[in-house]
Every structure is written in C-alpha cells, then in structure tokens.
Amino acid sequence: MPKWGNINERRNQLHPVIRLSGMNIIIDDTDNPLIIKVASIQSARMQVYFIDNDDYFVKRKMATDEDGNEYADNGERAIFYARGVLATVMKLRWTPDVIHCQGWMSALVPLYVKTAYKDEPAFRNCKVVYSPSPEELKNPMGKNFGNCIAFKDIDSSVLADFSEEMTFEELNKLAIKYADGVTFSNNGANQNLIDYAKEQNIPVLENMNGADDVRFSEFCDSICGGEDNE
C-alpha cells in the first residue's frame, strides 16, 4: 500500500527493507528513488509492504492537502505507486495468481501488468481484478500524463481513447480496460463505470460490501478458471 504521510511510522513499527533498497522509478526523465518499508499485523500474521518516496508521499496526506486541495501530481503519484509495487513484487520473486487493485492509486497496475510486464514470469499468468472506490478526484491527471505514463513499450498512444488531461472517470476506465474482472461497491458505485465494464465483456461483480469475502473469492476463482487454480 502507499506510505501515506498520515501513517505513523513509530506507532506502527515501520522499518525500511534493506534488501529492496537502491531501486529507482524514472517518470518523465526524472529519477525517483523507491523506498520500501514493512510492518507486521501480528493478529493476522501478515506483513504489509509500503511504497514510499520523499517527493510523492513523505509529509503528504492522501489525495488532498491539509486545506482540501488535491495534489497537482496525483497522476504521477499513481504511476510511481503502480510501477513501484510491480518492481517490488519482482524483486521479492513473488508470482501472484490474482492482483486485486483498489481505488485510483492502483489504477495503472492493470495497464502495466498487461503490457510492459506481460512477458515477465511473475505476471505472465496473473489475473488482475480492479475495484473502483466511491471516492473521486475532481481534477484531471494533467496534460503531461501521457508523457509520464511512458515505460518500456508504453507511450501516450494507450490513452488515445481518452481526453488529453485524463479525467478521474477516464482513469478508472483505463484500469477497467486492462483488467480481467471488476467489482463494484454497493456504496456509491458509478453507473457509467459499471456500463463501461460490461461493454468490455469481462466478469463484473456488483453490490460488494465489506462482508462479501466468499463472493469475492468465488469471483476470483472463476476468473482463474476454477478452484484448482487458486
């Protein structure tokens, strides 16, 4: 997950992962150090890896600053996060069966998995499920978003179906376009996105709530080809 600036590192006992140090993400010819931190949730016996960077996350909140103004580089932050997560997965030598992306910050993951990383052993057989969040950004991603998204064989042409500045709704549509399945919350789901997902002829699961673990698990099984492919 992103290392949002309002996450207390001391209280949650976050610490840098030394063996993952030294990685960088280049966005629009700018070299951005990728910092990976980790913490443990003892009750769940789970580790959480955090994507961090001095410019994009340190001393920042989530989508908006203390005055409620959206950060002008939210598009770049989403790009950095998506590529940072995938670089970390490869560095850890994980081979996920399903990647579940939740919300706008992870919206570029489906694109990169299905294009730039499609031949990587870690992602070759991976399925991607995207879940738009009810929260919305008012501002577009900006005119430079097409340049920033460029990586390997990806360039601004992948955005040809969308407007130059890339609205928030279009960002979600881009995620849906490259996803293998989409789920929608029963709380404020965007009907335009539901209709767009159905137009893509991919599995769609509607009216999800926080207690729908079984439905979601069955949904992922169906995308992967059955329970034998968990």
Side-chain angles (χ1 to χ4, degrees), residues 4-192:
W4 305 116
N6 53 5
I7 295 175
N8 189 302
E9 293 195 29
R10 181 176 296 180
R11 183 183 307 131
N12 295 289
Q13 299 181 359
L14 271 67
H15 57 273
V17 183
I18 304 302
R19 66 191 177 99
L20 297 179
S21 62
M23 292 191 288
N24 294 277
I25 305 293
I26 299 175
I27 298 178
D28 196 23
D29 295 328
T30 300
D31 210 346
N32 303 279
L34 173 61
I35 303 168
I36 310 297
K37 296 177 181 177
V38 68
S40 298
I41 303 176
Q42 299 295 340
S43 58
R45 296 183 180 179
M46 179 185 296
Q47 285 188 314
V48 180
Y49 287 83
F50 295 85
I51 301 297
D52 202 0
N53 173 268
D54 288 345
D55 294 323
Y56 290 133
F57 294 106
V58 172
K59 296 182 180 179
R60 291 206 198 184
K61 293 184 179 293
M62 298 175 77
T64 61
D65 62 21
E66 291 81 357
D67 299 320
N69 300 312
E70 292 181 4
Y71 296 114
D73 60 354
N74 272 338
E76 291 183 35
R77 298 171 79 210
I79 293 170
F80 178 86
Y81 174 71
R83 288 181 50 196
V85 166
L86 298 177
T88 302
V89 168
M90 289 195 297
K91 192 81 171 181
L92 291 169
R93 297 183 179 180
W94 291 347
T95 53
D97 295 316
V98 177
I99 296 177
H100 183 206
C101 307
Q102 296 179 285
W104 67 271
M105 181 58 79
S106 65
L108 279 305
V109 170
L111 167 67
Y112 286 121
V113 168
K114 298 301 182 178
T115 55
Y117 288 104
K118 65 180 183 298
D119 294 324
E120 292 289 343
F123 305 114
R124 190 176 297 145
N125 301 313
C126 180
K127 302 298 183 181
V128 184
V129 175
Y130 182 63
S131 299
S133 58
E135 67 182 41
E136 294 189 3
L137 299 179
K138 297 182 177 63
N139 298 327
M141 300 300 103
K143 291 183 178 180
N144 198 41
F145 189 69
N147 293 328
C148 293
I149 208 170
F151 176 63
K152 290 189 175 182
D153 57 347
I154 298 177
D155 56 32
S156 59
S157 64
V158 300
L159 308 180
D161 294 337
F162 308 106
S163 64
E164 182 182 8
E165 292 195 354
M166 199 74 174
T167 66
F168 178 75
E169 183 172 299
E170 288 174 331
L171 179 68
N172 280 284
K173 286 183 177 180
L174 180 66
I176 292 169
K177 180 179 179 180
Y178 287 93
D180 296 292
V182 188
T183 74
F184 291 96
S185 167
N186 60 359
N187 179 25
N190 184 322
Q191 187 61 47
N192 290 337

Side-chain angles (χ1 to χ4, degrees), residues 98 214-230:
V98 177
V214 173
R215 287 183 67 209
F216 181 74
S217 179
E218 292 174 348
F219 182 72
C220 291
D221 284 343
S222 66
I223 290 174
C224 290
E227 294 183 1
D228 292 339
N229 292 309
E230 288 184 0

